[in-house]
Short mmCIF file of all heavy atoms in Angstrom, two decimals:
data_model
loop_
_atom_site.label_atom_id
_atom_site.label_comp_id
_atom_site.label_asym_id
_atom_site.label_seq_id
_atom_site.Cartn_x
_atom_site.Cartn_y
_atom_site.Cartn_z
N GLU A 224 1.83 5.31 12.10
CA GLU A 224 2.01 6.27 11.06
C GLU A 224 0.81 6.33 10.10
O GLU A 224 0.27 7.31 9.69
CB GLU A 224 3.29 6.04 10.27
CG GLU A 224 3.56 6.93 9.09
CD GLU A 224 3.81 8.34 9.58
OE1 GLU A 224 4.14 8.59 10.72
OE2 GLU A 224 3.75 9.26 8.67
N ILE A 225 0.26 5.05 9.84
CA ILE A 225 -0.87 4.92 8.96
C ILE A 225 -2.08 5.57 9.61
O ILE A 225 -2.81 6.28 8.96
CB ILE A 225 -1.16 3.41 8.66
CG1 ILE A 225 -0.03 2.92 7.77
CG2 ILE A 225 -2.53 3.23 7.98
CD1 ILE A 225 -0.09 1.40 7.58
N SER A 226 -2.28 5.33 10.92
CA SER A 226 -3.42 5.90 11.65
C SER A 226 -3.26 7.44 11.60
O SER A 226 -4.24 8.11 11.37
CB SER A 226 -3.44 5.45 13.12
OG SER A 226 -3.62 4.11 13.05
N ARG A 227 -2.07 7.96 11.84
CA ARG A 227 -1.83 9.39 11.80
C ARG A 227 -2.16 9.96 10.44
O ARG A 227 -2.86 10.96 10.31
CB ARG A 227 -0.39 9.76 12.21
CG ARG A 227 -0.12 11.29 12.36
CD ARG A 227 1.27 11.50 12.66
NE ARG A 227 2.16 11.08 11.48
CZ ARG A 227 2.32 11.76 10.38
NH1 ARG A 227 1.74 12.95 10.28
NH2 ARG A 227 3.11 11.34 9.40
N ARG A 228 -1.62 9.36 9.37
CA ARG A 228 -1.85 9.87 8.02
C ARG A 228 -3.32 9.74 7.65
O ARG A 228 -3.83 10.61 6.91
CB ARG A 228 -0.96 9.07 7.04
CG ARG A 228 0.52 9.41 7.21
CD ARG A 228 1.38 8.46 6.42
NE ARG A 228 1.25 8.73 4.95
CZ ARG A 228 2.01 8.06 4.12
NH1 ARG A 228 2.93 7.12 4.50
NH2 ARG A 228 1.84 8.32 2.81
N ARG A 229 -4.07 8.70 8.08
CA ARG A 229 -5.35 8.54 7.84
C ARG A 229 -6.22 9.67 8.50
O ARG A 229 -7.15 10.26 7.93
CB ARG A 229 -5.87 7.19 8.26
CG ARG A 229 -7.39 6.93 7.92
CD ARG A 229 -7.65 5.49 8.13
NE ARG A 229 -9.05 5.17 7.66
CZ ARG A 229 -9.64 3.95 7.62
NH1 ARG A 229 -8.88 2.96 7.98
NH2 ARG A 229 -10.84 3.82 7.25
N GLU A 230 -5.85 9.91 9.77
CA GLU A 230 -6.51 11.02 10.46
C GLU A 230 -6.29 12.37 9.80
O GLU A 230 -7.20 13.20 9.66
CB GLU A 230 -6.01 11.15 11.89
CG GLU A 230 -6.51 9.90 12.83
CD GLU A 230 -5.94 9.97 14.18
OE1 GLU A 230 -5.18 10.92 14.46
OE2 GLU A 230 -6.27 9.10 15.00
N GLU A 231 -5.07 12.57 9.32
CA GLU A 231 -4.79 13.83 8.59
C GLU A 231 -5.62 13.91 7.30
O GLU A 231 -6.18 15.02 6.97
CB GLU A 231 -3.30 13.88 8.23
CG GLU A 231 -2.38 14.16 9.40
CD GLU A 231 -0.92 14.16 9.02
OE1 GLU A 231 -0.63 13.90 7.78
OE2 GLU A 231 -0.05 14.51 9.85
N MET A 232 -5.68 12.78 6.58
CA MET A 232 -6.54 12.84 5.33
C MET A 232 -7.98 13.15 5.68
O MET A 232 -8.62 13.87 5.04
CB MET A 232 -6.44 11.50 4.61
CG MET A 232 -5.02 11.27 3.96
SD MET A 232 -4.88 9.71 3.17
CE MET A 232 -3.21 9.71 2.52
N GLU A 233 -8.49 12.41 6.74
CA GLU A 233 -9.88 12.68 7.16
C GLU A 233 -10.09 14.06 7.50
O GLU A 233 -11.16 14.67 7.20
CB GLU A 233 -10.33 11.65 8.24
CG GLU A 233 -10.38 10.22 7.75
CD GLU A 233 -10.66 9.27 8.92
OE1 GLU A 233 -10.60 9.75 10.05
OE2 GLU A 233 -10.94 8.12 8.63
N THR A 234 -9.14 14.65 8.28
CA THR A 234 -9.26 16.03 8.70
C THR A 234 -9.26 16.97 7.44
O THR A 234 -10.06 17.92 7.32
CB THR A 234 -8.09 16.40 9.59
OG1 THR A 234 -8.14 15.58 10.68
CG2 THR A 234 -8.18 17.88 10.01
N GLN A 235 -8.39 16.67 6.49
CA GLN A 235 -8.38 17.49 5.26
C GLN A 235 -9.71 17.35 4.44
O GLN A 235 -10.20 18.37 4.01
CB GLN A 235 -7.22 17.06 4.40
CG GLN A 235 -5.80 17.36 4.96
CD GLN A 235 -4.73 16.84 4.09
OE1 GLN A 235 -4.93 16.23 3.03
NE2 GLN A 235 -3.45 17.08 4.49
N LEU A 236 -10.22 16.14 4.42
CA LEU A 236 -11.47 15.94 3.72
C LEU A 236 -12.62 16.67 4.44
O LEU A 236 -13.48 17.30 3.75
CB LEU A 236 -11.85 14.43 3.65
CG LEU A 236 -10.91 13.60 2.70
CD1 LEU A 236 -11.32 12.14 2.80
CD2 LEU A 236 -11.13 14.10 1.24
N ARG A 237 -12.66 16.65 5.74
CA ARG A 237 -13.71 17.37 6.46
C ARG A 237 -13.55 18.94 6.28
O ARG A 237 -14.57 19.60 6.06
CB ARG A 237 -13.62 17.06 7.98
CG ARG A 237 -14.12 15.69 8.31
CD ARG A 237 -14.35 15.58 9.83
NE ARG A 237 -13.11 15.62 10.60
CZ ARG A 237 -12.37 14.67 10.88
NH1 ARG A 237 -12.71 13.41 10.58
NH2 ARG A 237 -11.20 14.83 11.62
N THR A 238 -12.32 19.32 6.22
CA THR A 238 -12.05 20.81 6.03
C THR A 238 -12.58 21.19 4.63
O THR A 238 -13.21 22.25 4.39
CB THR A 238 -10.59 21.15 6.15
OG1 THR A 238 -10.18 20.77 7.47
CG2 THR A 238 -10.36 22.60 5.97
N ARG A 239 -12.21 20.44 3.54
CA ARG A 239 -12.65 20.64 2.21
C ARG A 239 -14.21 20.63 2.16
O ARG A 239 -14.78 21.37 1.44
CB ARG A 239 -12.01 19.63 1.24
CG ARG A 239 -10.51 19.73 1.11
CD ARG A 239 -10.19 21.04 0.39
NE ARG A 239 -10.74 21.16 -0.85
CZ ARG A 239 -10.31 20.64 -2.00
NH1 ARG A 239 -9.18 19.92 -1.95
NH2 ARG A 239 -10.85 20.79 -3.15
#
Side-chain angles (χ1 to χ4, degrees):
E224 179 67 16
I225 290 170
S226 298
R227 184 186 64 81
R228 292 170 67 177
R229 184 170 186 174
E230 290 176 358
E231 289 180 354
M232 290 181 181
E233 290 177 351
T234 302
Q235 292 176 1
L236 288 175
R237 286 194 295 268
T238 303
R239 292 293 302 277

